[in-house]
C-alpha cells in the first residue's frame, strides 16, 4: 500500500487559467515593450517629433493597414494585460468573495468596452470626411 503525503492534493483536471494568465503576462509584456517603443519612436523621433502630431498625422497613420494592425495589437494587448494585472490584485487583496466577483465583473466589462470602442475608432476613423472644410482636414485628403 502506497503512503500518501498529506500535503499533496490530487491532480486537478481542466485548464489551469492561472498558469495561462501568468504566461500571457510575460509574453504580452515583451510584445508590449516592442509595440510601445516602436509607437513612441515613430511618433516622436521621426520627422518633426511631437510638434507634428495632430489630427492629420493620426489620420494619415491610421489610413495605412500596417499602423491599424500595430495600434490594434497595442490596444488589445495593453488592455488585456492591465485587466489581468488588476484581476490579480483583486484576487490578492479583496477578501470578501461577493465584492471580489463584483470588481472582476466590472473590470471585465470596462476592459471589453474600451477594447470595442478603441477598435471601432481605429477601423472607422475617416480623416477625409465628405464636405469638410479643406483647411481643417489632413493634407493628404483630396480637396
Amino acid at each position: 500500500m502506497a503512503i500518501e503525503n498529506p500535503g499533496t492534493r490530487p491532480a486537478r483536471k481542466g485548464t489551469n487559467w492561472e498558469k495561462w494568465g501568468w504566461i500571457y503576462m510575460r509574453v504580452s509584456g515583451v510584445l508590449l515593450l516592442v509595440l510601445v517603443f516602436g509607437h513612441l519612436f515613430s511618433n516622436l523621433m521621426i520627422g518633426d517629433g511631437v510638434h507634428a502630431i495632430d489630427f492629420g498625422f493620426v489620420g494619415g497613420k491610421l489610413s495605412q493597414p500596417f499602423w491599424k494592425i500595430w495600434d490594434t495589437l497595442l490596444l488589445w494587448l495593453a488592455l488585456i494585460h492591465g485587466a489581468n494585472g488588476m484581476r490579480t490584485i483583486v484576487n490578492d487583496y479583496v477578501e470578501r468573495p461577493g465584492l471580489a466577483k463584483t470588481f472582476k465583473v466590472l473590470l471585465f466589462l470596462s476592459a471589453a468596452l474600451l477594447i470595442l470602442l478603441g477598435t471601432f475608432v481605429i477601423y472607422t476613423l475617416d480623416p477625409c470626411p465628405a464636405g469638410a472644410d479643406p483647411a481643417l482636414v489632413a493634407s493628404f485628403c483630396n480637396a
Side-chain angles (χ1 to χ4, degrees), residues 107-129:
L107 183 60
F108 172 80
L109 291 175
S110 62
L113 178 67
L114 289 171
I115 287 171
L116 288 173
L117 289 175
T119 304
F120 179 75
V121 168
I122 289 170
Y123 287 95
T124 61
L125 178 70
D126 183 9
C128 304

Side-chain angles (χ1 to χ4, degrees), residues 7-143:
T8 61
R9 288 185 261 174
R12 218 177 96 207
K13 291 186 170 52
T15 304
N16 185 346
W17 291 108
E18 287 299 319
K19 178 183 89 171
W20 287 108
W22 185 88
I23 291 170
Y24 174 81
M25 293 299 275
R26 273 62 191 169
V27 173
S28 68
V30 171
L31 290 173
L32 281 167
L33 281 173
V34 173
L35 291 169
V36 167
F37 283 112
H39 176 84
L40 291 173
F41 182 78
S42 71
N43 290 342
L44 302 177
M45 303 300 283
I46 296 175
D48 293 333
V50 72
H51 304 291
I53 298 175
D54 58 6
F55 180 78
F57 178 82
V58 174
K61 279 186 74 175
L62 289 180
S63 67
Q64 302 170 22
F66 174 81
W67 289 112
K68 281 186 180 185
I69 293 169
W70 186 284
D71 286 348
T72 302
L73 282 171
L74 183 60
L75 173 77
W76 280 64
L77 288 172
L79 279 169
I80 295 170
H81 185 96
N84 191 37
M86 290 300 296
R87 181 196 59 82
T88 303
I89 291 171
V90 168
N91 285 342
D92 288 347
Y93 293 106
V94 179
E95 295 177 1
R96 293 175 34 204
L99 187 59
K101 183 170 184 154
T102 301
F103 283 158
K104 287 189 262 187
V105 167
L106 291 173
L107 183 60
F108 172 80
L109 291 175
S110 62
L113 178 67
L114 289 171
I115 287 171
L116 288 173
L117 289 175
T119 304
F120 179 75
V121 168
I122 289 170
Y123 287 95
T124 61
L125 178 70
D126 183 9
C128 304
D133 181 0
L136 300 176
V137 297
S139 60
F140 57 82
C141 294
N142 296 330

